[in-house]
Amino acid sequence: MDTQDLLERYSQGDRNFPSAILIGSRLVGLVLSYANLSYANLVNADLTDTYLVEANLSQANLTNVNLNRAQLTGANLSFVDLSGADLTEANLSYASFIQAHLMDANLISAQCSRADFMGADLTGAQFIGADLSHANLEQANLQDVNLIETDLRGANLFKVDLSGINLSGTVIDQLTQIDDKWRLVQNVLTQGALGQDLKEADFSQANLVGANFAAANLNGANFRNARLNGAQFDRATVQGANFSGAVGLSKTTQSELQARGATFIDEFKGETDQIFSGQDTFRVERITRPTSIETATIKNL
């Protein structure tokens, strides 16, 4: 099927085009709402400004497709492959992306209100400035996703791992379902933590680039493996705070925090192995200290 065949059949009222082969087709600005394009191959196709309202694109191959400003309200995109696709400013409200693949897709300024991304792989996707209000992101993979300036009011992010995700400029509300840890991180990034009592707070794996912790109580706080480029800790109390594995701090800042009681490496880390030799069993205990000296003690059980 070529583009002309598709348009002719659509104009005659046909909406059923499953498994259509439209690789690299130019479908700019066309009206294909309610069309059944399930299992279709649209790799590298140009669908800029195309209307696909409530279209069925389930399990279609949309790799590297251009859907810039496309209208996909209520469309079924479950199990589709949208890897590398451009959905800039597309209207995806109420669309279903269940178990879809959107690796490295561009959704900058896209309208995704009430869209369903349950179980979707969004690795590396760009959502800068997107509207994700009331969207469902349950069980989605958000590794390396960019959520800067996104609207997350009412969104479902419960138990979603936001490690390393930059939440700067995001908007959430009481209806946003998000773990308490990430709600705190979002608050620190958007409201600042100046003078706050954050004793024993968990910031491990968090992206805290540019966060302001000046004069905050961070005693016993956990910053393990956090990203701290440009973060401010002036006058903050950090006794017992753990910064092991944290990145982005200057040597000067590290020295200052250490002088105030913070640690940058585990004081003690041990692991135990079992060694079996004939009928004898031995335990080997490896002890790693800050000096990186490793000793082994063998005890006959």
Side-chain angles (χ1 to χ4, degrees):
M1 175 186 291
D2 59 21
T3 303
Q4 193 59 41
D5 291 333
L6 173 69
L7 293 178
E8 185 174 336
R9 288 173 55 183
Y10 188 89
S11 66
Q12 294 173 357
D14 191 355
R15 299 291 183 270
N16 200 27
F17 313 105
S19 303
I21 306 299
L22 294 162
I23 299 172
S25 296
R26 181 175 170 79
L27 304 168
V28 177
L30 300 182
V31 177
L32 297 170
S33 295
Y34 309 104
N36 177 11
L37 288 161
S38 58
Y39 296 95
N41 190 336
L42 288 152
V43 172
N44 294 320
D46 189 352
L47 291 129
T48 302
D49 294 315
T50 297
Y51 282 76
L52 289 157
V53 175
E54 296 191 30
N56 180 6
L57 290 152
S58 60
Q59 303 195 57
N61 188 344
L62 300 171
T63 305
N64 296 321
V65 71
N66 187 350
L67 285 161
N68 199 315
R69 298 185 304 277
Q71 300 296 315
L72 287 147
T73 305
N76 182 359
L77 293 126
S78 299
F79 301 98
V80 302
D81 189 348
L82 278 158
S83 301
D86 185 0
L87 295 111
T88 302
E89 298 183 356
N91 189 343
L92 309 172
S93 300
Y94 295 93
S96 174
F97 293 91
I98 295 174
Q99 297 289 324
H101 296 275
L102 291 99
M103 290 82 75
D104 299 316
N106 185 354
L107 293 98
I108 293 175
S109 299
Q111 298 297 314
C112 306
S113 179
R114 301 185 186 278
D116 191 351
F117 292 95
M118 184 174 180
D121 188 350
L122 304 174
T123 303
Q126 299 291 315
F127 281 93
I128 300 172
D131 180 2
L132 283 162
S133 59
H134 301 282
N136 181 20
L137 292 150
E138 185 179 353
Q139 299 179 31
N141 180 0
L142 271 67
Q143 182 179 352
D144 298 323
V145 166
N146 193 334
L147 292 175
I148 293 176
E149 303 289 340
T150 57
D151 185 348
L152 295 167
R153 288 176 293 184
N156 181 6
L157 290 154
F158 189 62
K159 294 190 180 302
V160 172
D161 185 3
L162 294 172
S163 297
I165 304 301
N166 192 337
L167 298 172
S168 298
T170 56
V171 181
I172 66 174
D173 60 13
Q174 293 302 312
L175 296 177
T176 303
Q177 298 180 57
I178 186 171
D179 290 355
D180 290 341
K181 171 181 178 175
W182 303 116
R183 186 178 290 275
L184 176 59
V185 170
Q186 191 272 348
N187 185 265
V188 167
L189 287 169
T190 57
Q191 306 298 321
L194 179 65
Q196 289 190 21
D197 183 2
L198 298 170
K199 182 180 179 180
E200 299 181 355
D202 182 10
F203 294 111
S204 60
Q205 309 277 352
N207 187 329
L208 294 161
V209 173
N212 184 4
F213 290 102
N217 177 5
L218 299 170
N219 293 334
N222 184 2
F223 287 93
R224 286 176 59 90
N225 300 315
R227 298 182 186 178
L228 299 168
N229 306 68
Q232 301 177 45
F233 292 92
D234 299 335
R235 306 184 309 284
T237 57
V238 292
Q239 186 64 41
N242 188 346
F243 287 84
S244 60
V247 297
L249 293 175
S250 66
K251 291 183 178 180
T252 299
T253 300
Q254 288 188 37
S255 297
E256 292 175 352
L257 293 173
Q258 283 180 308
R260 288 183 242 159
T263 60
F264 281 81
I265 190 168
D266 291 338
E267 293 298 329
F268 178 90
K269 183 174 68 175
E271 64 185 62
T272 302
D273 295 330
Q274 296 283 342
I275 297 178
F276 298 92
S277 177
Q279 296 181 350
D280 296 322
T281 303
F282 301 89
R283 176 179 293 136
V284 178
E285 295 178 350
R286 294 184 178 85
I287 302 173
T288 305
R289 301 187 182 279
T291 56
S292 298
I293 298 175
E294 183 178 88
T295 63
T297 303
I298 301 179
K299 299 179 180 178
N300 193 326
L301 297 180

